[in-house]
Amino acid sequence: MRLLETVRRHVQQVLDSLTSGSSDLLLRITATRDPQFGDFQANLSLAMVLGKQLGREPVELANQIAASLRLDPFFASVEVAGRGYINMQLADAWIVEQSSAAEASDRLTISAPETCKTYIVDFSSPNVAKPMHVGHIRSTVIGDAIVRILRCLGHRVISDNHLGDWGTQFGMVIYGYKNFNAPQAFAANPVAELSRQYRLVQQIIGYQSAKTSIDSARREREVLSQRLIETQKALSTASSQKNPEEKKLAKQLKSIDRGIKDADEGIEELQIKIAAVEQEPDLLAIASKHADLESRVLSETAKLHSGDAENLRLWHAFLPHCKAEIQHIYDRLGVQFDYELGESFYHSMLAPTVDSLLQRGVAVESQGAVCVFLDGFDAPMIIRKQDGAFLYSTTDLATVEYRMKTFSPDVILYVVDHRQSDHFQKFFRCLKQTGLSEVELRHISFGTVLGKDGRPFKTRSGSVVGLEPLLDEAVARALKVVCDPSRLQNASLILSEDEKQHVASVVGIGAIKYADLSHHRENDYEFDLDKMVQLEGNTAAYIQYSFARTQNILRKLADKVAAEDSTAPRNFEIAFDHPLDRALAIQILRFEDSLHQSMVDYAPSVVTEYLYELAKLFASFFDQCPVLRAETPTQQDSRRLLVYLTGKTLKQGLDLLNIQTVDRM
Ligand code: ARG
């Protein structure tokens, strides 16, 4: 049941008798934050806009609407405040009825699906054969939550892991394997050895490109220093003369200053890359023996793509190992895909895709390459390079064609890093120009995971952090916090070693997912494990703990009832008599609203926000509304229902984010 929609529908009945276009007006009705304004409020603008339409005073209109609404038993009271706000309070009887229905339903308060669309969610999609790092967690966790929420709302959802299994990184490991393989290490752990080769090749390429670019980076830095001095001079003259240019110059100075800082950091990074190789004679020898390694790697990739038997054989040998490695992470995260059609799957479709675009005149040859010139963009989208190689964009075009043919989706969501927004803007534009209009395409972009220093999350040595050790660390820290002996003792909780490990794993993995989801996807966020596993604040542990608390109360209540004389008559009347009873019941009924709201902009953070509000409300209720020691049987039954529904909603909400719960923690 969509609570807000239900309220709006009731108001609509009244508005329809006044005007023909009420749907816009209804958007001005929202839930209130402060109970003194009722449960829902029509903003002043409703009465003002309608008043203008009808040529009447807003207050007078608001009073007329309120009077009609009062006749509807759905509302307990309707008040007009100020110059025409309409404050509405729902009838308790209706809340009780809905809550009882929720108890009986296994979908809680969520109504049966209405319009069913077909979605394809393209997410996770790491480039395999190189270590999966913390950045990949965002696409995986956000995509997974979106899939689950959309499914819960009744849509047909196809999840597809568009693996990068055909790109340059294979050129790197093929080159690495041919030149630097340690056979014993490969036999013992192929993925670890391939990762080592990948990193080695990457390091040498990084070194060689740093060597060629450091001089120009220094020159640019020099130019900036010069400009800094000049601007400082100009500024001091301007400020002594009270010149209006002063502000502009100060702004320029700031931006030059920032430029210098960035340049210094860039140079430092290059120096680190250079030193790391030059300090190691072995690495230096490799770097000089394998000059211009980048083009050697590109030619291995090109050979693979053109069907070279040896490179294909190696690719076939490596791929299963690479897939097994990422599968291990997916298993730990509990993430599944309907399809894993990686880039290699589309390889044979690339040439026909380009040919058909050429034939249809959408693409043209330009300086030996094939391009699509895009309206509104300066640079064209290249879909075949001069040397005949296809690009990331070409694969994406072929992929859409295949998806349209195979699944006829209404919507395709691409859950990919914000750094690719340029690609997606061009790619979507290109698809429009090919005449594809029946599908809605959305780039579900997300921000960067940052370290404490505010830069992309890295270890001290500067390399990116692998995912697996991070998961282990989260579990270890969760164990420390949640299974702290004195905490367990205070809570009189006796857990076996196995139970402790299970709780730590549920809390630790949940912490990482929740921290990611609870930041709006467009924002960067700081990866702070200590904060993530806390039992207080907007964390997974807090929600999971609140759930465990509900289960604890229900267990005690069941024991109490069992111990009581079962022949004594009990009335099962439900009545919410404390303001917090009522507030909690209404928050529970808002669950479906939060799911729909979160899918307006595909932001799972709307759901974490909802769960956090529910958990906080439950904590206040827990403090102020005794359940075991309730004053009357009606009160106890009513509160038992609320505790039960709170637990069920928290659990189902977390489940939509693919976060587990435990009954005792
Ligand atoms: N493999 C790409 C990367 O790691 C992401 C692919 C996203 N999906 C797509 N259809 N382009 O950057």
Side-chain angles (χ1 to χ4, degrees), residues 122 124-127 136 162-164 343 392 396 403 414-416 420 423-424:
D122 175 324
S124 196
S125 314
N127 294 331
H136 289 119
H162 188 75
L163 287 179
E343 292 177 4
Y392 185 53
D396 263 336
R403 285 175 176 165
Y414 295 85
V415 188
V416 187
Q420 292 192 26
H423 162 73
F424 283 105

Side-chain angles (χ1 to χ4, degrees), residues 133-134 457 465-475 512 527 529:
H133 62 83
V134 68
F457 192 56
V465 183
L467 210 41
E468 188 94 64
L470 268 189
L471 298 182
D472 293 338
E473 184 62 25
V475 173
I512 287 193
F527 193 90
L529 272 180

Side-chain angles (χ1 to χ4, degrees), residues 595-662:
L595 302 185
H596 283 281
Q597 188 55 36
S598 78
M599 288 299 105
V600 169
D601 203 23
Y602 304 102
S605 55
V606 174
V607 178
T608 61
E609 202 49 51
Y610 168 82
L611 293 173
Y612 184 43
E613 288 303 319
L614 176 59
K616 279 194 295 188
L617 209 48
F618 176 69
S620 311
F621 165 89
F622 185 83
D623 275 348
Q624 295 179 44
C625 303
V627 186
L628 289 161
R629 258 161 284 170
E631 286 160 20
T632 63
T634 296
Q635 197 178 62
Q636 185 159 77
D637 286 337
S638 308
R639 289 185 178 163
R640 187 209 60 81
L641 175 63
L642 288 175
V643 174
Y644 171 80
L645 290 178
T646 301
K648 217 168 148 187
T649 309
L650 291 174
K651 189 180 171 75
Q652 178 153 6
L654 286 177
D655 183 61
L656 290 175
L657 310 176
N658 204 356
I659 295 175
Q660 292 180 295
T661 48
V662 288

Side-chain angles (χ1 to χ4, degrees), residues 44-63:
L44 179 58
S45 64
L46 188 148
M48 295 209 346
V49 172
L50 189 59
K52 224 182 198 161
Q53 263 179 34
L54 305 176
R56 290 177 55 186
E57 269 307 304
V59 174
E60 181 206 331
L61 251 178
N63 276 314

